[in-house]
Amino acid sequence: MLDLTGKTALVTGIANNRSIAWGIAQQLHAAGADLGVTYLPDAKGKMEKKVKDLVEPLNPSLFLPLNVQNDEQMAETFQAVKAQWGKIDILVHCLAFANRDDLTGDFSATSRQGFQTALDISAYSLVSLANGAKPLMTEGGSIVTLTYLGGVRVVPNYNVMGIAKAALEMNVRYLASEMGAHNIRVNGISAGPIRTLASSAVGGILDMIHHVEEIAPLGRTVTQEEVGKTAAFLCSDLSSGITGQILYVDSGYNIMGM
Ligand code: 0WE
C-alpha cells in the first residue's frame, strides 16, 4: 500500500491549480504526508495569497517564501523545516525558468546571461535544495524532480531549457550516487506536455498537445494527477529499490520513432 503517514514533504513549484506541483501535493496529502509548501514571492504578495488559498485544504504545516536564487531564503527554508519537523523525508522540485526570448528563435542566439539564468533556476536549484535537505534526511529520503523530453531530444523552441533539463537529469544521477549511502533516493519524472501557467506562456503548446494525442500509444496527454500519482510512488516505500532514474509519464510518447 502507498502510505506516507508520518512522512514530511517539502513541495516547491506550486503557482496555481494547473501546476504539476499542485497535482503532486494533492497525492502526497491523500497518502497521509505532512506538507510544507514554498511559493515564489513577488513584490505585491499576489502569489503568496493565491498559493496560500489554494493549498489551505491540504493543511500545510509550513508555508514559506522561496526564490531559489536567494541563498538567504534557501537557508531560512531549511531552518524553518528543522524547527517545525526536525527532519525531512520528501523533497519535490518542480521549478524551471528561462527568459521568454530564449524559448523561441535561434538557440545559437542564447545570451550568456540567459543561459546562466535558465541553468541556475532550473538545474542548480536541485543541487542547492538537495544540499539543504541532506542533513535533515536522517531517516533516509526521496527527492523527486520534473524534467521533459526536450532535455534528451530536440524539441522546437525548448532551446536553452533543453540544456537546463539535460543538466538537471545528470544532477539526478550524481546526487543519487552520492546520497544512496544515506538511503536517500533521487529520481526524475519526465512528464509529457500539459497545459500549465509555464507551458501556456509558450506559443504552440496546443499544437504540441494535439501532436501527442496523434502519436502517443495512449492517444492522449497526461494529467497533473497522473504525474502526482507517479511522484507519490517515487516518494513511497513502493519504489524503495529505484534511484537515479528518469521515469517517463507521457502516455508512451517517447518510445515512438514515427
Ligand atoms: O519545462 C517546461 C516549461 C519551462 C518554462 C516555460 C516558460 C514560459 C514563460 C521555463 N521558463 C519559461 N519562461 C517564461 O517566461 N515545459 C516542459 C513546458 C514547455 O515549455 C516549452 C515547451 C514545453 C512543452 C517551451 C518551448 C517548447 C515547448
Side-chain angles (χ1 to χ4, degrees), residues 223-241:
T223 64
Q224 289 87 339
E225 183 187 2
E226 289 177 309
V227 178
K229 288 189 295 183
T230 298
F233 162 72
L234 287 174
C235 292
S236 81
D237 183 65
L238 291 182
S239 61
S240 57

Side-chain angles (χ1 to χ4, degrees), residues 12-13 38 66 68 93-97 121-123 125 129 145-146 165:
T12 64
T38 73
L66 178 61
V68 293
H93 174 273
C94 310
L95 307 167
F97 182 79
I121 298 177
S122 313
S125 60
L129 280 166
T145 186
L146 291 179
K165 290 302 193 187

Side-chain angles (χ1 to χ4, degrees), residues 16-20 192-202 204-210 213 221-224:
N16 64 26
N17 64 355
R18 281 195 164 167
S19 298
I20 298 175
I194 297 179
R195 278 188 75 175
T196 64
L197 182 64
S199 74
S200 299
V202 170
I205 186 70
L206 280 179
D207 291 340
M208 292 187 60
I209 285 170
H210 289 136
E213 288 169 353
T221 53
V222 295
T223 64
Q224 289 87 339

Side-chain angles (χ1 to χ4, degrees), residues 43-76:
K44 290 181 177 169
K46 284 179 85 174
M47 204 52 127
E48 176 175 6
K49 169 138 183 43
K50 187 171 197 158
V51 179
K52 198 186 184 93
D53 289 350
L54 178 67
V55 301
E56 194 194 46
L58 309 187
N59 296 312
S61 304
L62 284 165
F63 185 71
L64 303 164
L66 178 61
N67 176 335
V68 293
Q69 292 189 297
N70 182 329
D71 290 332
E72 201 178 314
Q73 260 174 25
M74 188 69 76
E76 284 166 4

Side-chain angles (χ1 to χ4, degrees), residues 17-241:
N17 64 355
R18 281 195 164 167
S19 298
I20 298 175
W22 170 236
I24 294 172
Q26 289 176 93
Q27 293 299 321
L28 297 181
H29 173 75
D34 189 358
L35 296 188
V37 169
T38 73
Y39 63 92
L40 179 62
D42 58 31
K44 290 181 177 169
K46 284 179 85 174
M47 204 52 127
E48 176 175 6
K49 169 138 183 43
K50 187 171 197 158
V51 179
K52 198 186 184 93
D53 289 350
L54 178 67
V55 301
E56 194 194 46
L58 309 187
N59 296 312
S61 304
L62 284 165
F63 185 71
L64 303 164
L66 178 61
N67 176 335
V68 293
Q69 292 189 297
N70 182 329
D71 290 332
E72 201 178 314
Q73 260 174 25
M74 188 69 76
E76 284 166 4
T77 296
F78 288 104
Q79 280 161 19
V81 166
K82 188 174 185 184
Q84 179 71 30
W85 288 330
K87 61 144 193 179
I88 181 168
D89 300 299
I90 294 164
L91 174 67
V92 181
H93 174 273
C94 310
L95 307 167
F97 182 79
N99 293 320
R100 220 175 153 159
D101 294 353
D102 291 330
L103 295 174
T104 184
D106 289 342
F107 168 64
S108 62
T110 307
S111 66
R112 187 190 304 271
Q113 187 55 57
F115 189 97
Q116 283 180 179
T117 297
L119 273 281
D120 184 34
I121 298 177
S122 313
Y124 179 72
S125 60
L126 180 66
V127 179
S128 54
L129 280 166
N131 187 240
K134 186 180 175 184
L136 296 172
M137 287 189 159
T138 48
E139 298 171 10
S142 175
I143 299 175
V144 174
T145 186
L146 291 179
T147 185
Y148 176 59
L149 183 64
V152 294
R153 298 222 282 265
V154 173
V155 172
N157 298 318
Y158 201 59
N159 293 8
V160 73
M161 271 308 305
I163 285 71
K165 290 302 193 187
L168 180 74
E169 293 186 14
M170 213 56 225
N171 283 342
V172 166
R173 299 185 186 100
Y174 275 92
L175 290 169
S177 171
E178 173 193 328
M179 295 189 173
H182 303 277
N183 197 29
I184 299 169
R185 299 181 295 108
V186 187
N187 293 289
I189 297 174
S190 188
I194 297 179
R195 278 188 75 175
T196 64
L197 182 64
S199 74
S200 299
V202 170
I205 186 70
L206 280 179
D207 291 340
M208 292 187 60
I209 285 170
H210 289 136
H211 179 70
V212 167
E213 288 169 353
E214 226 165 79
I215 302 294
L218 296 182
R220 59 175 180 83
T221 53
V222 295
T223 64
Q224 289 87 339
E225 183 187 2
E226 289 177 309
V227 178
K229 288 189 295 183
T230 298
F233 162 72
L234 287 174
C235 292
S236 81
D237 183 65
L238 291 182
S239 61
S240 57

